[in-house]
Amino acid sequence: APNAADARTALGDVLRFKGDTAGAVAEYTRAVRLGARAPMLFHWLGSLLLATGDLAGAEECFREAVRRGPSLAVAHNALGFV
């Protein structure tokens, strides 16, 4: 069975695909608080925060994505937008 962080991440993915930015940000943030640590989670959260104009939050997430996944090219690239 998935843990709570995985479930929140999955729900965030669904909401992101549906275009519910606020809902996805809320679920991804909950996933992080519950211990989720996947680099792509931080990348997607950063991308959504960037789309809402939260540049500081986006940068923090992109930097965390790079720290957790040094070879994650999309996270390195995303840092160029903040």
Side-chain angles (χ1 to χ4, degrees):
N3 67 33
D6 289 342
R8 292 296 184 173
T9 299
L11 181 54
D13 290 342
V14 169
L15 293 171
R16 178 171 51 88
F17 288 129
K18 289 179 67 176
D20 182 353
T21 299
V25 166
E27 292 305 325
Y28 285 157
T29 300
R30 287 183 186 112
V32 169
R33 288 185 184 142
L34 290 169
R37 297 294 177 247
M40 278 305 295
L41 168 64
F42 288 92
H43 168 72
W44 284 122
L45 180 54
S47 295
L48 292 169
L49 292 173
L50 181 63
T52 67
D54 182 355
L55 299 180
E59 181 178 5
E60 181 180 338
C61 286
F62 293 146
R63 290 194 184 283
E64 188 64 19
V66 167
R67 189 180 78 74
R68 293 185 179 280
S71 64
L72 188 61
V74 293
H76 287 277
N77 184 58
L79 278 170
F81 292 98
V82 290

